[in-house]
Amino acid sequence: MEISSELLNRQRDFFQSGKTKDVTYRIEALTLLGNMIRSHETELMAALKSDLNKSDFDTYITELGIVLEEIRFTLKHIKNWTAPRKVKTAFTQMGSKGYIYSEPYGVVLIISPWNYPLQLAIAPLIGAIAAGNCAILKPSELTPETSKLMAELISKTFPAEYISVVQGDAETTQTLLKEKFDYIFFTGSVAVGKLIMEAAAKHLTPVTLELGGKSPCIVHHDANIKLAAKRIAWGKFINAGQTCVAPDYLYVHRDVKDEFIKILTESIKDLYEEIIKNQEFTRIVSERHFNRVINLLSSGEILHGGNYSIDTLTIEPTVLGGVNWEDPVMQEEIFGPILPILEYDDANTMVGKINENPKPLALYIFSQSNEFQGTILNSISFGGGCINDTVMHLSSPYLPFGGVGDSGIGAYHGRGSFDVFSHQKSILKQTTTFDLPFRYPNRKDALKQIKRFIK
Ligand code: NAD
């Protein structure tokens, strides 16, 4: 497609002008971005309602609120982050000084998914702007109203040679990927993540991959069961389970399983019954995903929920018991409002089973015991997570957010977002007032002398 190379060239020229490197320009852009979101709150909420039936409350806390908070945090720290960082120098480099300069990569491509269509496009963009880059955003085609509105708002707020939205499907992304970008930031599935990395490799373009997978949630026998049930019900069923860090499945200790299931069911009713009645529960994004998710209902037995409507693409919060690792629901990331429960007796066996699978994006531990928490943290590798909570780690600007292994490469949020989009340029500034002789080979006993310094 001509358009992508033409747009890319315009952005490249604009980047070369040096304008985006000016910190004042970045601050102005971030302020404009924040104002753009604030002043179009109603339209954004309507778009998300249309695409996913998200309630205004959910849209605010999981989309607008998160990006506005990221902008506020970035504006507060940007001067500090952009300043060259002075570092120590080695003893053998006496007289010199060391600095790390954070410099923008240039023109970056941000590819985002449909489940939090605003947040997952704008949060990386905040990092790209803060670091001084130009950016092309490719949002998901499965949330057309939000993508269209973002394209309109961005084009009214920023010149296309600085920030631009390219709408389209997989084919559009593939056309974009033929071009040489300076950085690619991708959020989406593991399968597409591999295609992105393959395409990026052809140009040696560095990537961040924010992927998914099955995130376990462990409820130990000493957990505060009431709080665990409530926080799990919230984190699993928010956005109808279409959250990359939602607890995918539960591992509950046998001693507390029956009590836990009873309280979990009560918590689900308490949190969602009214919302479902008012038709404010988030829907599944497409008929294809809806059919994929309801097919998973055949695993184990339904302990709660299980109703669905193809007309509204909604599925009730559903709990499955009697599930084992061979069931279809345990073969793929669920990405829907279905929560299977496995039980464990021996913690080592449970850890062993989790470790047989790809490294998860998130993991949650509900336990009052520091020792148990420590054992789990030490024995399972995963992107990040919470102890005695779910999902909340994602909203802290102080915690870099990302996966490991199959769940992703790299991390962002807060300072992490600035760092992701910055190359760290290391500079040694040498003194000219003296010249230590040790490195030069033309001295008597040169090797002997150098060995006195490097042991
Ligand atoms: P997806 O991988 O299907 O799509 C993501 C983006 O890639 C979209 O913009 C889409 O147009 C594009 N795309 C799709 N197929 C492509 C192809 N063949 N070639 C090039 N581009 C293509 O993901 P999705 O269904 O939109 O999102 C769900 C997945 O994303 C889940 O696995 C979830 O766990 C993951 N996710 C991860 C995070 C995170 O922060 N780690 C956040 C949200 C979602």
Side-chain angles (χ1 to χ4, degrees):
M1 186 171 59
E2 260 313 294
I3 300 167
S4 62
S5 36
E6 198 186 296
L7 178 62
L8 196 75
N9 287 338
R10 281 175 67 196
Q11 289 215 348
R12 215 169 270 301
D13 288 346
F14 190 67
F15 180 73
Q16 288 307 335
S17 77
K19 261 192 164 174
T20 65
K21 290 188 182 173
D22 179 353
V23 179
T24 313
Y25 189 82
R26 306 184 203 184
I27 291 172
E28 275 166 18
L30 289 168
T31 310
L32 281 173
L33 186 64
N35 292 343
M36 178 193 97
I37 291 163
R38 265 184 231 103
S39 59
H40 293 88
E41 185 181 308
T42 316
E43 294 102 302
L44 287 165
M45 283 176 167
L48 281 146
K49 181 90 190 156
S50 162
D51 283 334
L52 286 158
N53 195 39
K54 276 200 200 197
S55 67
D56 290 354
F57 176 78
D58 276 3
T59 292
Y60 200 83
I61 67 160
T62 65
E63 307 253 12
L64 308 189
I66 289 196
V67 296
L68 289 173
E69 182 54 22
E70 275 280 318
I71 293 173
R72 191 197 62 76
F73 188 84
T74 307
L75 283 171
K76 189 171 165 205
H77 296 283
I78 191 167
K79 288 204 170 133
N80 179 15
W81 296 344
T82 47
R85 204 151 35 101
K86 192 161 187 272
V87 292
K88 288 183 179 174
T89 46
F91 177 62
T92 46
Q93 293 160 353
M94 214 183 295
S96 70
K97 290 175 183 158
Y99 296 94
I100 299 172
Y101 289 77
S102 292
E103 66 169 25
Y105 280 103
V107 178
V108 305
L109 174 64
I110 296 169
I111 306 167
S112 55
W114 51 263
N115 59 331
Y116 291 96
L118 180 86
Q119 187 220 127
L120 296 172
I122 302 295
L125 178 64
I126 294 166
I129 294 174
N133 298 278
C134 294
I136 293 178
L137 262 62
K138 209 307 277 170
S140 174
E141 68 280 18
L142 295 186
T143 41
E145 293 303 319
T146 313
S147 298
K148 194 170 89 191
L149 182 58
M150 276 197 297
E152 270 170 37
L153 297 181
I154 292 277
S155 75
K156 278 188 204 153
T157 312
F158 300 106
E161 59 270 27
Y162 179 32
I163 302 165
S164 202
V165 176
V166 173
Q167 295 183 80
D169 55 12
E171 214 178 302
T172 308
T173 319
Q174 280 162 11
T175 311
L176 284 166
L177 287 169
K178 290 199 183 108
E179 305 291 337
K180 181 175 167 63
F181 283 88
D182 298 302
Y183 201 92
I184 298 175
F185 188 103
F186 171 80
T187 308
S189 60
V190 176
V192 179
K194 289 179 185 172
L195 300 177
I196 304 292
M197 197 161 171
E198 205 179 312
K202 296 211 170 80
H203 297 292
L204 278 182
T205 300
V207 290
T208 292
L209 301 177
E210 295 282 341
L211 310 178
K214 289 183 87 62
S215 297
C217 177
I218 301 163
V219 182
H220 202 41
H221 58 70
D222 61 355
N224 178 327
I225 299 292
K226 218 168 156 191
L227 270 182
K230 192 172 171 189
R231 290 173 182 172
I232 291 168
W234 173 78
K236 173 69 190 188
F237 299 113
I238 192 168
N239 212 33
Q242 302 168 114
T243 304
C244 55
V245 288
D248 185 274
Y249 62 93
L250 298 187
Y251 241 136
V252 184
H253 195 279
R254 185 180 296 170
D255 291 354
V256 290
K257 198 183 90 185
D258 291 344
E259 185 197 354
F260 174 79
I261 290 172
K262 191 168 151 277
I263 301 177
L264 176 69
T265 308
E266 284 163 15
S267 300
I268 295 171
K269 283 189 196 149
D270 194 33
L271 293 181
Y272 293 107
E273 216 165 46
E274 196 66 18
I275 288 170
I276 292 170
K277 210 169 81 198
N278 296 339
Q279 303 201 328
E280 288 218 297
F281 193 61
T282 302
R283 70 170 170 84
I284 305 300
V285 71
S286 68
E287 205 168 308
R288 186 175 71 81
H289 277 282
F290 177 85
N291 289 327
R292 181 187 63 76
V293 177
I294 58 168
N295 275 335
L296 303 177
L297 288 171
S298 60
S299 305
E301 57 163 325
I302 295 175
L303 302 178
H304 177 80
N307 296 313
Y308 51 83
S309 157
I310 179 87
D311 296 334
T312 56
L313 295 184
T314 46
I315 304 173
E316 250 189 320
T318 299
V319 179
L320 298 177
V323 172
N324 61 55
W325 279 99
E326 283 67 48
D327 285 322
V329 78
M330 295 306 292
Q331 305 307 310
E332 58 178 280
E333 181 184 8
I334 299 168
F335 225 58
I338 300 181
L339 183 58
I341 300 183
L342 304 172
E343 75 169 38
Y344 72 93
D345 195 12
D346 174 51
N348 288 333
T349 316
M350 178 263 293
V351 166
K353 279 314 283 186
I354 294 176
N355 280 335
E356 280 173 21
N357 291 282
K359 295 178 180 179
L361 179 60
L363 185 142
Y364 306 107
I365 308 163
F366 285 86
S367 167
Q368 299 296 95
S369 152
N370 288 338
E371 194 189 333
F372 181 76
Q373 295 162 10
T375 306
I376 300 293
L377 290 183
N378 245 326
S379 46
I380 304 173
S381 174
F382 55 95
C386 305
I387 293 168
N388 293 323
D389 209 339
T390 61
V391 177
M392 292 301 284
H393 63 298
L394 177 141
S395 61
S396 167
Y398 299 100
L399 292 173
F401 170 73
V404 57
D406 282 22
S407 57
I409 298 172
Y412 75 130
H413 287 176
R415 164 116 209 191
S417 299
F418 174 83
D419 287 344
V420 149
F421 287 103
S422 304
H423 162 64
Q424 309 268 288
K425 193 192 237 170
S426 295
I427 297 297
L428 183 119
K429 190 172 178 181
Q430 189 59 275
T431 179
T432 49
T433 50
F434 58 89
D435 188 25
L436 289 177
F438 309 110
R439 71 172 116 163
Y440 301 114
N442 57 345
R443 289 165 299 116
K444 193 165 170 270
D445 292 336
L447 181 61
K448 207 166 140 197
Q449 284 188 38
I450 200 98
K451 278 187 165 178
R452 281 175 47 213
F453 286 95
I454 306 171
K455 292 190 175 128

